[in-house]
Amino acid sequence: MTIRLPGADGALRTYEPRTEPLAVTAGTAFTSRTVFSAAHVVADPYADVSPDSPAAVDWDLTLSFRRHLWSHGLGVAEAMDTAQRGMGLDWAGAAELIRRSAAEAKAVGGLIACGVGTDQLTGPASLAEVRAAYEEQLALVEESGAQAILMASRALAAAASGPEDYLEVYGHLLRQASEPVILHWLGPMFDPALEGYWGSSDLDAATDTFLEVIAAHPDKVDGIKVSLLDARREIDIRRRLPQGVRCYTGDDFNYPELIAGDEQGFSHALLGIFDPLGPLAAEAVRVLDTGDAPGFRELLDPTVGLSRHLFQTPTRFYKTGVVFLAWLADHQPHFTMVGGLQSARSLPHLAKAYELADGLGLFPDPKLAEERMKTLLSVYGVNQ
């Protein structure tokens, strides 16, 4: 059987789908790395909403997907940008997601960390208001029993006049946190409103401020998540961290080499690409647990092409590809997203994502994935 797929040039090409999925099994937590998958939310396709409406979430399927990740030994990074935080999911929806996912994690013994931001602020805010917003969200996450991830804040980026404002706000929050947190540096390729974060558009200067925050409170920082898509910079930051502070790679372009590490250290992981790659990524990390770094790379290196495709510019729309693959893999029965974001990527982009994911064996039922892909193509007028 074959399927005709549209290319970037508008021409149709013939692709022969694979017939068998990659053989992977569920398993326990890892021993050599701590690995989180940032997880997407499943929209309610029958809700009568517009892109500007509060998110209508299918809670049963959203939590079912988190159980899928936990069953493979992965941790869940909740209410992050992969969950369309600030791109369809507002703070009220994120708060409910945190409560429900944290309770589910407790019930099944799953590892979970949740995003703390300032997205309840809807307009220009003072530094005091930014700090108060962070405090409100930090309190909710800690009350839920989850680990906190201090996310980069659009409001702070707009309100801060220089590095000293970041030092003051983050210093206050770290002193207040009851348990060590993960600090998240999200680059402007993921969110243009975060340009100049840490008080400078010069990444060297920004890095110095970031490390200054950590050096002042090493006992309150479990680790950092760096999402700059710059492997060399992440390695440099990793080598400059205080003893005991982890680096969680957020680099969806270079994650195999960063997780494998070098003679001076390695990165743990907190990645959006591990949403569609979950079972395969878990299999690879279990190989790494045995000390077999080449075997780890052999499994994970071939996935980079898919990841780079999903995260191509505009990078912030990678969520569309993630949810699209979740539909093809039958983690949800529809391709609908909160905020209508299913329209954010072109048909040729989605077709290439299908081809790359199928080639990796990511679909538990390749025939079902093929049928769903053909259904989508027919909506666009591509006849088979």
Side-chain angles (χ1 to χ4, degrees), residues 26-30 33 35 68-75 111 282 286:
T28 57
F30 316 117
R33 304 289 188 274
V35 180
H68 155 72
L69 294 172
W70 284 320
S71 74
H72 287 276
L74 296 158
L111 179 65
R286 269 187 272 279

Side-chain angles (χ1 to χ4, degrees), residues 262-274:
D262 55 31
E263 66 282 354
Q264 296 187 50
F266 57 82
S267 295
H268 300 271
L270 197 165
L271 289 160
I273 191 58
F274 281 6

Side-chain angles (χ1 to χ4, degrees), residues 164-180:
E164 65 282 353
D165 289 334
Y166 290 88
L167 294 171
E168 190 280 326
V169 170
Y170 276 93
H172 175 86
L173 293 169
L174 290 172
R175 287 189 295 272
Q176 185 171 316
S178 61
E179 299 291 340

Side-chain angles (χ1 to χ4, degrees), residues 4-91:
R4 294 199 305 160
L5 301 173
D9 59 358
L12 293 175
R13 66 185 187 280
T14 300
Y15 173 69
E16 184 176 348
R18 65 185 291 160
T19 57
E20 296 294 333
L22 183 72
V24 293
T25 57
T28 57
F30 316 117
T31 58
S32 65
R33 304 289 188 274
T34 300
V35 180
F36 291 95
S37 166
H40 74 279
V41 294
V42 182
D44 177 357
Y46 304 123
D48 186 12
V49 295
S50 71
D52 295 329
S53 302
V57 177
D58 184 323
W59 295 112
D60 289 341
L61 286 176
T62 294
L63 294 176
S64 175
F65 186 75
R66 280 133 183 84
R67 290 193 295 272
H68 155 72
L69 294 172
W70 284 320
S71 74
H72 287 276
L74 296 158
V76 169
E78 189 57 277
M80 305 293 288
D81 65 300
T82 305
Q84 294 181 244
R85 189 82 177 264
M87 290 184 67
L89 188 71
D90 61 11
W91 167 235

Side-chain angles (χ1 to χ4, degrees), residues 88-154:
L89 188 71
D90 61 11
W91 167 235
E96 184 67 13
L97 179 62
I98 290 166
R99 293 188 191 97
R100 288 175 180 259
S101 291
E104 194 73 15
K106 189 178 299 182
V108 303
L111 179 65
I112 188 168
C114 298
V116 170
T118 63
D119 45 331
Q120 67 269 57
L121 300 172
T122 57
S126 67
L127 287 175
E129 289 170 328
V130 169
R131 190 171 71 181
Y134 264 129
E135 289 172 339
E136 177 189 354
Q137 296 199 17
L138 178 60
L140 185 145
V141 169
E142 291 188 336
E143 288 167 6
S144 76
Q147 184 179 19
I149 304 171
L150 293 187
M151 301 170 67
S153 161
R154 294 174 181 173

